[in-house]
Amino acid sequence: MFGGMSACLPKRRRKPEQTETASVELPLSIVILGATGDLARKKLYPALYQLMYGCPEAPLIPTSATITGYGRSPVDLAAFLEKQCVNVKGESKAEFLANCSFFSGAYDQPESFQKLNEHLAASEGGGPANRLFFFSVPPSVFGDICKGVRAAACAPSGGWTRLLIEKPFGRDSRTFDELNAITSGSFAEDELFRIDHYLGKEVVLNLVALRFGNQIYERLWNRENIASVQIVFKEDLGTEGRGGYFDSSGIIRDIMQNHLLQVFLWAAMEPPASLNRASVQEEKVKLLKAMKPITMNDCFLGQFGSNTWSVNGIEHKEAGYLDDKGVPADSKCPTYAAVVLKVDNDRWRDVPFLFRAGKGLDERMAEVRVTFKPQAFNQLVPGAPNELVMRIQPDEAIYLKIMNKMPGWKVGDVTSTVLDMS
């Protein structure tokens, strides 16, 4: 199922015992399920610090909030925080770490969540409190966690409970339906947030302002003026020992059908009536329904191999995907995919959207590149097509490639120039 599409689901009636509103001034407990993983280290702990202390609008989360890491095995707290909070930077780091703890328990045993409830209550003071659970775990344990939280670890009376479920939410439509039956059977829709963290990237967020806050772009944002749109994700790293996990998903499920698809939706949907959830959902769903089915003729798949190269006489070696110990020797799992997606609506008919994603490539880079169509009058001053580039990572940037005259008397002596709008 596509990340960020929770609003597509039918709303359930709120259970009678649930509270319509809860004070934001109540103690807040944040639980990171899967706190020993890469996502927690690279994204979650640094993001929580920024929301509490670092960003210009801080605190967006109260600085009194407690953060509990949850994992299967016990840890030494100091060593755990040193490793998992290595990317937390700022003068208030010591204060942040003082509010962090760890709880070890199983995902499928009710008694673990009973003990977690006791752990949280101790820091909440025994009264009403709000609780937020972030699922940074495989989909295979989503259902058990939902049941455990509902049975024993929901917020005390007077507070709210929120579940943030990171993609992927199932492997396909069937597994999505199974997971949804469990999660929606335990919690109301306004307590569930099925998210894709890629939507939090600054350049992705800026797509809204770029399209709808300006006068010049939206008039050009159509098949009469745009030749193609590329949405690209490249990593220079391989699977680095995580091949066993990656082999169960592949690059399409890992990157393309969630991260890149969400970027595509914001870039290509019709202007919504407003930016509220229902209006955005409506336009996203319209666009998804207008997508033509993809066949293997629209795809190119690949797998990175081993590589050897020399720099200043020093030989470097990089293992291939099949060299990863967790990967089956006969694996056909794609680590690279290029897919042409077409939309059958009045705005985008016959405009190719090229999705490209891969690991073990020549660079780390993600961008959206909109190439404009040459017009008849361009014959007067020939040059390269205009391109609007939104670089998501690294070095976030938005720039427009235009043709500009070089100094001198020759009118047709032009060169490509970058108009930086970063």
Side-chain angles (χ1 to χ4, degrees), residues 122-150:
S123 61
E124 294 165 348
N130 299 323
R131 293 181 180 176
L132 187 154
F133 297 84
F134 193 105
F135 288 46
S136 179
V137 291
S140 57
V141 297
F142 284 1
D144 288 332
I145 294 173
C146 283
K147 292 176 181 177
V149 172
R150 169 53 67 192

Short mmCIF file of all heavy atoms in Angstrom, two decimals, residues 122-150:
data_model
loop_
_atom_site.label_atom_id
_atom_site.label_comp_id
_atom_site.label_asym_id
_atom_site.label_seq_id
_atom_site.Cartn_x
_atom_site.Cartn_y
_atom_site.Cartn_z
N ALA A 122 5.54 5.40 35.26
CA ALA A 122 6.46 5.88 36.29
C ALA A 122 7.00 7.27 35.95
O ALA A 122 7.18 8.11 36.85
CB ALA A 122 7.61 4.89 36.44
N SER A 123 7.23 7.53 34.67
CA SER A 123 7.75 8.85 34.28
C SER A 123 6.63 9.86 34.06
O SER A 123 6.87 11.07 34.03
CB SER A 123 8.59 8.74 33.01
OG SER A 123 7.81 8.26 31.93
N GLU A 124 5.40 9.38 33.90
CA GLU A 124 4.26 10.27 33.65
C GLU A 124 3.65 10.79 34.94
O GLU A 124 2.79 11.67 34.91
CB GLU A 124 3.19 9.53 32.84
CG GLU A 124 3.63 9.17 31.43
CD GLU A 124 2.74 8.14 30.76
OE1 GLU A 124 1.91 7.52 31.47
OE2 GLU A 124 2.89 7.92 29.55
N GLY A 125 4.06 10.21 36.07
CA GLY A 125 3.54 10.67 37.36
C GLY A 125 2.26 10.00 37.78
O GLY A 125 1.65 10.39 38.79
N GLY A 126 1.81 9.01 37.04
CA GLY A 126 0.63 8.24 37.45
C GLY A 126 -0.70 8.87 37.08
O GLY A 126 -1.75 8.30 37.39
N GLY A 127 -0.69 10.02 36.41
CA GLY A 127 -1.94 10.68 36.03
C GLY A 127 -2.18 10.60 34.54
O GLY A 127 -1.56 9.80 33.83
N PRO A 128 -3.09 11.43 34.02
CA PRO A 128 -3.35 11.46 32.58
C PRO A 128 -2.09 11.82 31.80
O PRO A 128 -1.25 12.59 32.26
CB PRO A 128 -4.42 12.54 32.42
CG PRO A 128 -5.05 12.66 33.78
CD PRO A 128 -3.96 12.37 34.76
N ALA A 129 -1.95 11.25 30.61
CA ALA A 129 -0.78 11.51 29.77
C ALA A 129 -1.11 11.16 28.33
O ALA A 129 -2.06 10.42 28.06
CB ALA A 129 0.42 10.69 30.26
N ASN A 130 -0.33 11.70 27.42
CA ASN A 130 -0.44 11.35 26.00
C ASN A 130 0.68 10.39 25.63
O ASN A 130 1.80 10.51 26.16
CB ASN A 130 -0.34 12.61 25.13
CG ASN A 130 -1.44 13.60 25.42
OD1 ASN A 130 -2.58 13.22 25.67
ND2 ASN A 130 -1.12 14.89 25.37
N ARG A 131 0.39 9.46 24.72
CA ARG A 131 1.39 8.48 24.31
C ARG A 131 1.43 8.35 22.79
O ARG A 131 0.39 8.21 22.15
CB ARG A 131 1.12 7.12 24.94
CG ARG A 131 1.31 7.11 26.45
CD ARG A 131 1.07 5.74 27.05
NE ARG A 131 1.26 5.77 28.50
CZ ARG A 131 1.05 4.74 29.32
NH1 ARG A 131 0.64 3.58 28.82
NH2 ARG A 131 1.25 4.88 30.63
N LEU A 132 2.64 8.38 22.25
CA LEU A 132 2.86 8.26 20.82
C LEU A 132 3.80 7.08 20.57
O LEU A 132 4.89 7.02 21.14
CB LEU A 132 3.45 9.56 20.27
CG LEU A 132 3.62 9.73 18.77
CD1 LEU A 132 3.59 11.21 18.41
CD2 LEU A 132 4.92 9.11 18.27
N PHE A 133 3.38 6.16 19.71
CA PHE A 133 4.17 4.96 19.39
C PHE A 133 4.60 5.04 17.93
O PHE A 133 3.76 5.14 17.03
CB PHE A 133 3.35 3.70 19.62
CG PHE A 133 2.94 3.48 21.05
CD1 PHE A 133 1.80 4.08 21.57
CD2 PHE A 133 3.69 2.67 21.89
CE1 PHE A 133 1.42 3.89 22.89
CE2 PHE A 133 3.32 2.47 23.21
CZ PHE A 133 2.19 3.09 23.72
N PHE A 134 5.91 4.98 17.69
CA PHE A 134 6.44 5.01 16.33
C PHE A 134 6.91 3.61 15.95
O PHE A 134 7.78 3.03 16.60
CB PHE A 134 7.60 6.00 16.21
CG PHE A 134 7.99 6.30 14.79
CD1 PHE A 134 7.64 7.51 14.21
CD2 PHE A 134 8.68 5.38 14.02
CE1 PHE A 134 7.97 7.79 12.89
CE2 PHE A 134 9.02 5.65 12.70
CZ PHE A 134 8.66 6.86 12.14
N PHE A 135 6.35 3.06 14.88
CA PHE A 135 6.66 1.71 14.43
C PHE A 135 7.82 1.74 13.44
O PHE A 135 7.63 1.97 12.25
CB PHE A 135 5.45 1.08 13.74
CG PHE A 135 4.31 0.71 14.64
CD1 PHE A 135 3.84 1.58 15.62
CD2 PHE A 135 3.67 -0.52 14.51
CE1 PHE A 135 2.79 1.24 16.44
CE2 PHE A 135 2.61 -0.87 15.32
CZ PHE A 135 2.17 0.02 16.29
N SER A 136 9.03 1.51 13.93
CA SER A 136 10.19 1.38 13.05
C SER A 136 10.59 -0.09 13.02
O SER A 136 11.71 -0.47 13.37
CB SER A 136 11.33 2.26 13.56
OG SER A 136 12.46 2.13 12.74
N VAL A 137 9.64 -0.92 12.62
CA VAL A 137 9.78 -2.38 12.68
C VAL A 137 9.22 -2.99 11.39
O VAL A 137 8.47 -2.34 10.66
CB VAL A 137 9.03 -2.96 13.90
CG1 VAL A 137 9.71 -2.57 15.20
CG2 VAL A 137 7.57 -2.50 13.90
N PRO A 138 9.54 -4.26 11.10
CA PRO A 138 8.98 -4.90 9.91
C PRO A 138 7.46 -5.05 10.02
O PRO A 138 6.91 -5.17 11.12
CB PRO A 138 9.66 -6.29 9.91
CG PRO A 138 10.88 -6.13 10.75
CD PRO A 138 10.53 -5.11 11.79
N PRO A 139 6.77 -5.05 8.88
CA PRO A 139 5.30 -5.19 8.89
C PRO A 139 4.82 -6.47 9.56
O PRO A 139 3.68 -6.52 10.02
CB PRO A 139 4.94 -5.18 7.40
CG PRO A 139 6.07 -4.51 6.72
CD PRO A 139 7.30 -4.83 7.52
N SER A 140 5.68 -7.47 9.62
CA SER A 140 5.26 -8.75 10.19
C SER A 140 4.89 -8.65 11.66
O SER A 140 4.18 -9.52 12.18
CB SER A 140 6.38 -9.79 10.02
OG SER A 140 7.59 -9.34 10.63
N VAL A 141 5.34 -7.58 12.36
CA VAL A 141 5.01 -7.45 13.78
C VAL A 141 4.04 -6.31 14.04
O VAL A 141 3.71 -6.04 15.20
CB VAL A 141 6.29 -7.29 14.64
CG1 VAL A 141 7.17 -8.52 14.54
CG2 VAL A 141 7.07 -6.04 14.25
N PHE A 142 3.58 -5.61 12.99
CA PHE A 142 2.63 -4.51 13.19
C PHE A 142 1.41 -4.97 13.97
O PHE A 142 0.96 -4.32 14.92
CB PHE A 142 2.17 -3.95 11.84
CG PHE A 142 3.17 -3.09 11.14
CD1 PHE A 142 4.42 -2.83 11.68
CD2 PHE A 142 2.87 -2.53 9.90
CE1 PHE A 142 5.34 -2.04 11.02
CE2 PHE A 142 3.78 -1.73 9.23
CZ PHE A 142 5.02 -1.49 9.79
N GLY A 143 0.83 -6.08 13.53
CA GLY A 143 -0.40 -6.55 14.13
C GLY A 143 -0.25 -6.88 15.60
O GLY A 143 -1.09 -6.51 16.44
N ASP A 144 0.83 -7.60 15.95
CA ASP A 144 1.05 -7.97 17.35
C ASP A 144 1.23 -6.73 18.22
O ASP A 144 0.73 -6.67 19.36
CB ASP A 144 2.29 -8.87 17.46
CG ASP A 144 2.05 -10.27 16.92
OD1 ASP A 144 0.88 -10.72 16.95
OD2 ASP A 144 3.01 -10.90 16.45
N ILE A 145 1.96 -5.74 17.71
CA ILE A 145 2.18 -4.53 18.49
C ILE A 145 0.87 -3.79 18.71
O ILE A 145 0.58 -3.31 19.83
CB ILE A 145 3.21 -3.62 17.80
CG1 ILE A 145 4.58 -4.28 17.78
CG2 ILE A 145 3.29 -2.26 18.49
CD1 ILE A 145 5.62 -3.54 16.97
N CYS A 146 0.06 -3.66 17.67
CA CYS A 146 -1.24 -2.98 17.82
C CYS A 146 -2.09 -3.66 18.89
O CYS A 146 -2.70 -2.98 19.73
CB CYS A 146 -1.98 -2.97 16.49
SG CYS A 146 -1.38 -1.75 15.32
N LYS A 147 -2.11 -4.97 18.86
CA LYS A 147 -2.89 -5.71 19.86
C LYS A 147 -2.33 -5.48 21.26
O LYS A 147 -3.08 -5.29 22.22
CB LYS A 147 -2.88 -7.20 19.52
CG LYS A 147 -3.65 -7.56 18.26
CD LYS A 147 -3.51 -9.05 17.95
CE LYS A 147 -4.24 -9.44 16.68
NZ LYS A 147 -4.05 -10.88 16.33
N GLY A 148 -0.98 -5.51 21.38
CA GLY A 148 -0.36 -5.33 22.68
C GLY A 148 -0.59 -3.94 23.25
O GLY A 148 -0.90 -3.77 24.44
N VAL A 149 -0.46 -2.91 22.40
CA VAL A 149 -0.70 -1.53 22.85
C VAL A 149 -2.15 -1.36 23.26
O VAL A 149 -2.46 -0.79 24.32
CB VAL A 149 -0.31 -0.52 21.76
CG1 VAL A 149 -0.74 0.89 22.15
CG2 VAL A 149 1.19 -0.56 21.50
N ARG A 150 -3.07 -1.84 22.42
CA ARG A 150 -4.49 -1.69 22.75
C ARG A 150 -4.84 -2.39 24.05
O ARG A 150 -5.60 -1.86 24.88
CB ARG A 150 -5.34 -2.23 21.59
CG ARG A 150 -6.83 -2.39 21.90
CD ARG A 150 -7.46 -1.13 22.44
NE ARG A 150 -7.52 -0.06 21.46
CZ ARG A 150 -7.80 1.19 21.75
NH1 ARG A 150 -7.99 1.56 23.01
NH2 ARG A 150 -7.84 2.11 20.82
#
